[in-house]
Amino acid sequence: MHPTEVVHHHKQTNTGVDDRKLGMWILIISECFLFGTLITNFLIHKKSVKPGTPGGIDVFDIEITTWSTFVLLMSSVAMVLALQACKNRALRPFQFWTFLVALGGLIFLGFQYYEFSHFLHNDFGFTTNLFASSFFLLTGCHGLHVLVGTLWLSTIGITSLIRGDRWFSPVSVEIAGLYWHFVDVVWIVIFTVVYLYIYL
Amino acid sequence: MATYLPKTGILSWLTTVDHKKIGILYGASAFFFLIFGGIEALLMRTQLILPNLELISAQTYNGLVTMHGTTMIFLFLMPLISAFFNFMIPLMIGAPDVAYPRMNALSFWVFLFGGLLLNYSFIAGQVPQVGWFAYANLTSKTYTPDHSVDFWILGIQIVGLASLISSINFFVTILNMRCKGMSLLKMPIFIWASMITQVLLFLSLPVITIALVMITADRTFGTGFFDPGLGGSVVMWQHLFWIFGHPEVYILILPAMGIVSEIIPVFSRKPLFGYPVMVYSVTAIGFLGFAVWAHHMFTTGLGPWASTFFSLATMMISVPTGMKIFNWISTLWGGQIRFTTAHLFAISFVAMFTIGGLSGIMHASPPIDYHQHDTYFVVAHFHYVLYGGAVMGLFGGIYYWFPKFFGRLLSERLGRWQFWLYMIGFNLTFFPMHFLGLQGMPRRNFTYAPDQGWEFWNIVSSIGAYITAVGALLFAFNVIYSLLRGQKSGPDPWDGRTLEWSLESPPPEYNFAAAPHVNQVDDWWHQKYVDGKKVSPPYQPTQPDSPPHLPNPSFWPLVLAIGVTLLATGFFFSTTGIYISGFGALVIIIAAYGWSYETP
């Protein structure tokens, strides 16, 4: 393997956008339809709570979710700074911010794990009612995306520890960043539609 | 790590990332699955040849209906189209390969394993019997307690993943890798059709992905998304399925339209009539294709407003489609027409597709649809569109580009025989279904009573199917014979118009020795003809100046596809399933890391 090759390998494209970056944008457009379907399904079943079973208002803990939302949003700020550091070829700050992003994702996942087990403990499970099924399908799918992003960014961080900053072109980091910001934006929609809307 | 992998032999095919080899793999798999889909069709037509026959049971018949539809759409048409995308897109836009060669290999292996998993249902003796649209609540645990529906759900899920990967790949390839001078409105029309098809794919597939996850959840974990008893809705499935399913129909027809738009100008020796209008109409069809899904659902009782909207949107599609038909006819008009086999298939596409389009406009009207819904009239309609249309167009493409694939021409004499057997067989099979449908013969029933007056046209229809089967065998013979003994084609056997004909046949692994540069649509033609007089085209180097940088072969795509398949297989086992799926996930992760760290 020749780690240095990747940095200098730059291909001219018709659009001027890197192939992989354009691919990530297309994936994000496609993912909009994926989450769009899940969110629509959730909205359809917003009131599908069988009598005698808990609904969202009974189990949601808005304070905890607000904190985990805050952590996820701040991780996006760290992502911006990580990319900036990568562009400046400042290895240490790059590693610091990258691991901070991954840590943010990990904390978010921890909150989600706590939240889910708290729900299960209160008889609010995947098959309790359609509201719950739609909720777990939507937030679970988002959680899976956070997990992938966390793995991705940790891998970038660890690889840079082993190989140094010459291994990563800013565009590789930027693509991971695009994905991370998208997952964040989806969470903002989920937070509004799922957690805040039920209080109206 | 992968640099020592060989360039020939079995191992080279398992690890190849060359778009031309992957295209051939796609084409070969498509015809492998066509054997299944075709035998299923012939069994059904044999069962229906006379009233009250019991050659096969009603249950087997349901399985055949389901697997015939699913196989022909997902395992024959889509991979055959993908074969053209793979082989032709880089050659026609003057690119060395696709944007992500390893992703390309991945999508092929994922597709192949998905198709095999779906057909494994025959070996397991649990054939899906729910129709290619798998309407809820037939798919529920109550009505299908065995694993037959799981084969369908997971098979389609995997095949869908393959299409999603390849759609992103081809879209980026077309947008980013065109040669110098090829602005969007100078692309060959097949490339335009391909590009719009990719958009339809990556926008519609996520919807079916989620819908399939929802049935999986209903069946595996006991949720009630499609169970009215638990507050779910069966109509919801129909919406989700057709939001994907209707664009899917255009995914099948647009590439065939693109191929036909390449063939007709070449064999009429005229440029395509109304090129920009063709571009706008293909875009308009793609756009409107997302606004018509509920015309499959008029009889569910959507209410007057929804029915009116979807009816009008559906009728509106006939405007861009009609423009295309007139443009093809105008291209032929006054041309120096050569009736090669490819051209015969292309012209038959225009005629057959027009018939299918006209019957489509009929049931765009809800009151008429109420009468025609679930009868053989609808079967006639979509076979005219997808068989008389898409399949005939794709056969035209095979006869047209076969010399580019393999360097040898298909036999024209055998080709003409196949064409007429197909044309006569197809029309004998499906035209009578219009009559049968209007007389009220319902689709998907395994037999019918003798006193309905349906016997005659059913006999005719079945005879037509056998005639088509003879044509298919002749095609298989033609391919084998021509691969071995076919006439050598040379680089440009048809006096073509687009860039691929400037290359030798089959093209070298690196495609273009020197990056091409185009000035206009049909640039290759204008290099050969100036003011209608033949000139010798400018010197084309056949050897690149410096050794070309080609992507290394890789076995990670194959490993990753095996991981995906294992992940899905876990759903068939109730206790050990979680370990099998977990192992599959592990294989995926290992492959993803191996992939990221190897030198592409």
Side-chain angles (χ1 to χ4, degrees):
Chain A
M1 261 173 276
H2 308 285
T4 48
E5 268 182 12
V6 188
V7 177
H8 303 293
H9 180 68
H10 185 70
K11 208 175 65 178
Q12 278 289 317
T13 64
N14 299 100
T15 55
V17 182
D18 180 89
D19 282 347
R20 291 173 299 157
K21 195 164 141 190
L22 187 60
M24 180 49 76
W25 274 113
I26 308 300
L27 181 70
I28 286 173
I29 296 172
S30 180
E31 292 262 24
C32 285
F33 274 64
L34 189 98
F35 282 105
T37 310
L38 286 166
I39 290 169
T40 311
N41 178 57
F42 176 82
L43 286 173
I44 288 170
H45 291 305
K46 202 165 83 78
K47 299 238 155 57
S48 304
V49 180
K50 253 190 307 190
T53 57
I57 211 146
D58 305 315
V59 290
F60 285 175
D61 186 342
I62 192 70
E63 252 174 62
I64 284 191
T65 317
T66 309
W67 276 111
S68 72
T69 305
F70 176 75
V71 171
L72 197 64
L73 288 188
M74 286 306 108
S75 77
S76 254
V77 178
M79 187 68 239
V80 173
L81 296 169
L83 176 62
Q84 197 53 43
C86 181
K87 281 181 177 160
N88 297 337
R89 311 316 289 163
L91 182 60
R92 289 298 160 203
F94 165 70
Q95 285 164 345
F96 174 76
W97 293 117
T98 305
F99 281 118
L100 206 63
V101 180
L103 184 69
L106 214 58
I107 292 173
F108 179 86
L109 287 171
F111 272 122
Q112 198 168 38
Y113 178 79
Y114 171 78
E115 186 194 29
F116 279 13
S117 53
H118 170 75
F119 289 171
L120 290 175
H121 195 68
N122 285 295
D123 298 326
F124 184 84
F126 193 31
T127 55
T128 306
N129 50 45
L130 273 175
F131 172 85
S133 306
S134 312
F135 167 83
F136 280 111
L137 202 63
L138 171 56
T139 51
C141 184
H142 179 266
L144 208 62
H145 279 77
V146 176
L147 179 67
V148 170
T150 308
L151 273 176
W152 189 354
L153 286 155
S154 325
T155 307
I156 289 180
I158 293 167
T159 312
S160 78
L161 283 180
I162 299 168
R163 300 227 174 113
D165 67 338
R166 288 176 62 76
W167 203 73
F168 282 108
S169 61
V171 72
S172 307
V173 178
E174 195 178 350
I175 292 162
L178 270 177
Y179 174 84
W180 191 257
H181 293 315
F182 170 71
V183 172
D184 248 22
V185 168
V186 171
W187 182 256
I188 294 174
V189 177
I190 292 176
F191 184 64
T192 316
V193 167
V194 176
Y195 290 90
L196 296 183
Y197 192 32
I198 56 164
Y199 292 102
L200 286 181
Chain B
M1 153 174 238
T3 39
Y4 54 77
L5 288 168
K7 296 262 180 198
T8 51
I10 289 276
L11 205 59
S12 78
W13 287 92
L14 293 177
T15 58
T16 186
V17 292
D18 177 7
H19 71 98
K20 297 180 285 297
K21 279 189 166 178
I22 293 170
I24 290 168
L25 286 172
Y26 260 116
S29 326
F31 281 103
F32 169 74
F33 287 120
L34 175 66
I35 298 172
F36 291 80
I39 289 174
E40 283 147 16
L42 289 175
L43 285 174
M44 286 192 287
R45 272 329 311 173
T46 308
Q47 161 67 17
L48 290 173
I49 195 165
L50 292 171
N52 281 340
L53 273 187
E54 296 248 13
L55 295 172
I56 43 182
S57 68
Q59 249 194 335
T60 312
Y61 187 88
N62 286 346
L64 293 176
V65 170
T66 306
M67 290 302 283
H68 169 73
T70 310
T71 303
M72 288 305 198
I73 289 170
F74 293 102
L75 307 181
F76 170 60
L77 275 173
M78 288 186 71
L80 187 57
I81 288 166
S82 232
F84 285 111
F85 287 163
N86 265 289
F87 210 104
M88 299 321 302
I89 287 177
L91 299 184
M92 291 176 92
I93 63 174
D97 205 320
V98 293
Y100 323 113
R102 288 181 297 172
M103 285 286 193
N104 203 14
L106 174 68
S107 68
F108 169 72
W109 294 113
V110 171
F111 148 75
L112 182 66
F113 294 147
L116 292 176
L117 179 71
L118 186 61
N119 276 289
Y120 186 78
S121 62
F122 282 109
I123 297 170
Q126 299 184 349
V127 186
Q129 300 177 8
V130 288
W132 87 277
F133 34 74
Y135 273 176
N137 46 11
L138 291 176
T139 49
S140 67
K141 264 293 200 225
T142 321
Y143 293 103
T144 311
D146 65 5
H147 277 303
S148 60
V149 169
D150 299 320
F151 281 112
W152 190 87
I153 299 171
L154 294 162
I156 298 300
Q157 190 73 286
I158 297 176
V159 172
L161 177 68
S163 296
L164 180 68
I165 297 167
S166 70
S167 69
I168 296 176
N169 198 349
F170 290 127
F171 189 77
V172 174
T173 304
I174 295 173
L175 268 194
N176 256 0
M177 295 178 69
R178 283 164 285 134
C179 65
K180 276 209 173 59
M182 190 180 280
S183 56
L184 289 176
L185 281 174
K186 288 175 188 165
M187 298 195 303
I189 199 78
F190 173 67
I191 300 299
W192 261 104
S194 306
M195 192 167 88
I196 301 297
T197 307
Q198 312 311 330
V199 177
L200 292 177
L201 276 165
F202 66 66
L203 294 185
S204 67
L205 282 165
V207 181
I208 193 74
T209 303
I210 293 303
L212 291 168
V213 168
M214 284 158 79
I215 328 184
T216 311
D218 275 10
R219 290 180 58 83
T220 312
F221 306 110
T223 55
F225 291 113
F226 305 122
D227 184 348
L230 296 171
S233 160
V234 289
V235 178
M236 173 87 166
W237 166 262
Q238 295 196 22
H239 279 292
L240 291 176
F241 181 82
W242 288 116
I243 288 174
F244 154 78
H246 200 85
E248 170 69 23
V249 179
Y250 294 120
I251 289 162
L252 301 174
I253 198 71
L254 289 183
M257 287 177 162
I259 290 171
V260 166
S261 310
E262 294 295 337
I263 295 174
I264 291 179
V266 166
F267 295 111
S268 307
R269 288 177 77 84
K270 274 177 67 186
L272 183 67
F273 188 89
Y275 169 91
V277 177
M278 288 301 236
V279 171
Y280 304 146
S281 57
V282 76
T283 316
I285 292 172
F287 183 75
L288 288 171
F290 275 96
V292 297
W293 77 85
H295 70 211
H296 297 267
M297 302 166 54
F298 284 141
T299 55
T300 56
L302 298 163
W305 284 106
S307 289
T308 308
F309 171 81
F310 285 108
S311 171
L312 288 177
T314 306
M315 290 182 188
M316 219 145 54
I317 286 198
S318 59
V319 176
T321 314
M323 288 196 288
K324 292 183 90 74
I325 291 168
F326 283 116
N327 279 346
W328 288 317
I329 296 171
S330 307
T331 309
L332 286 163
W333 182 260
Q336 300 167 39
I337 297 176
R338 283 178 289 167
F339 285 107
T340 57
T341 311
H343 203 199
L344 288 172
F345 273 111
I347 295 170
S348 79
F349 168 96
V350 179
M352 297 300 103
F353 181 77
T354 306
I355 297 175
L358 289 174
S359 59
I361 298 173
M362 290 184 204
H363 37 244
S365 162
I368 298 177
D369 180 72
Y370 270 58
H371 181 65
Q372 294 170 347
H373 190 86
D374 258 342
T375 69
Y376 266 88
F377 193 87
V378 176
V379 180
H381 158 70
F382 66 71
H383 279 94
Y384 265 88
V385 177
L386 291 184
Y387 185 169
V391 176
M392 294 300 240
L394 291 172
F395 267 112
I398 292 173
Y399 278 89
Y400 179 57
W401 278 315
F402 190 89
K404 192 47 69 184
F405 297 162
F406 300 110
R408 289 176 188 272
L409 292 158
L410 279 168
S411 157
E412 281 288 309
R413 178 205 279 273
L414 287 172
R416 250 169 262 253
W417 271 99
Q418 187 214 344
F419 169 75
W420 286 110
L421 285 169
Y422 258 62
M423 193 61 184
I424 294 166
F426 165 75
N427 280 294
L428 276 182
T429 310
F430 294 105
F431 207 83
M433 288 187 185
H434 290 110
F435 308 138
L436 288 170
L438 290 180
Q439 288 166 15
M441 184 170 169
R443 46 189 292 216
R444 304 190 205 107
N445 283 15
F446 88 111
T447 192
Y448 50 95
D451 54 356
Q452 303 285 325
W454 298 336
E455 289 100 324
F456 176 70
W457 289 121
N458 269 300
I459 293 175
V460 173
S461 180
S462 295
I463 290 171
Y466 302 138
I467 294 175
T468 316
V470 177
L473 291 176
L474 210 60
F475 174 72
F477 175 73
N478 194 354
V479 169
I480 296 166
Y481 173 82
S482 302
L483 278 176
L484 301 173
R485 299 264 175 87
Q487 191 192 331
K488 287 256 169 58
S489 66
D492 190 4
W494 311 120
D495 206 1
R497 311 181 72 86
T498 36
L499 276 180
E500 76 272 26
W501 302 112
S502 69
L503 296 170
E504 45 188 304
S505 310
E509 204 186 349
Y510 46 81
N511 293 353
F512 294 88
H517 187 134
V518 301
N519 296 311
Q520 51 201 314
V521 180
D522 293 343
D523 196 75
W524 174 241
W525 174 269
H526 293 288
Q527 288 182 37
K528 293 186 293 183
Y529 293 90
V530 174
D531 297 327
K533 287 200 192 70
K534 183 137 189 154
V535 296
S536 56
Y539 167 72
Q540 303 278 333
T542 49
Q543 288 295 325
D545 297 337
S546 56
H549 174 74
L550 292 170
N552 288 319
S554 169
F555 53 78
W556 290 118
L558 179 60
V559 176
L560 213 160
I562 291 170
V564 170
T565 315
L566 283 172
L567 183 71
T569 312
F571 284 87
F572 291 95
F573 302 93
S574 45
T575 47
T576 50
I578 184 92
Y579 301 109
I580 299 174
S581 292
F583 181 65
L586 190 69
V587 173
I588 293 174
I589 292 171
I590 292 171
Y593 277 95
W595 178 312
S596 307
Y597 285 96
E598 81 180 349
T599 313

